[in-house]
Amino acid sequence: MGRNDTPRVIAAFLDSGIGWFLARLVLTFVFWSAGLAHLFGFDHSVAELKSLGLEPAGFLNIVLIVTLLVGSLLILLDRWLWLGCGILSGFLVVAIVLAHPFWTMQEPARTPHFRVAMEHISLIGGFMVCAVAGRLRERKR
């Protein structure tokens, strides 16, 4: 086996429909679970948005729920996957600016918000990889 050869069992999983679905499910987990949490804990979510100074909080919570669930659903259904990846990536950029503006903070608050922002950027990279993989799978069909 050469240094770039993938073991058969791993290759079979990566090439399978179930492997592709599980990868998308895990990538989107934090988004669809948050969307459901915002939906079922609507009042708490509205209070959270108000604490960030976002108004009208009720309307924005609806936008948040739709964004998280629609973006996730597009990715999970593998339909307009690129759009779902773009929607959730856009959400992450907005979240950094509105909820984690570490550049405006002093320590000790700055570092944890900086780390969350870096995690968001890594997730955006994951969505870019997902969109590329989806395009490659599409071209292969």
Side-chain angles (χ1 to χ4, degrees), residues 10-25 27 74-82 85 128-141:
I10 302 296
F13 175 75
L14 293 175
D15 291 340
S16 73
I18 193 73
W20 178 229
F21 177 76
L22 285 174
R24 297 185 332 267
L25 183 69
L27 178 61
L74 290 172
I75 293 168
L76 290 172
L77 295 176
D78 200 6
R79 300 288 179 250
W80 293 334
L81 180 115
W82 59 270
C85 290
M128 293 169 73
V129 170
C130 184
V132 168
R135 177 71 180 132
L136 292 173
R137 290 178 69 89
E138 193 177 271
R139 288 178 60 192
K140 199 174 176 182
R141 285 186 216 140

Side-chain angles (χ1 to χ4, degrees), residues 78-114:
D78 200 6
R79 300 288 179 250
W80 293 334
L81 180 115
W82 59 270
L83 181 58
C85 290
I87 288 169
L88 294 180
S89 293
F91 163 78
L92 289 167
V93 170
V94 170
I96 291 169
V97 172
L98 296 180
H100 305 288
F102 62 88
W103 57 91
T104 67
M105 300 174 176
Q106 300 298 316
E107 292 298 351
R110 171 182 257 165
T111 295
H113 283 276
F114 173 77

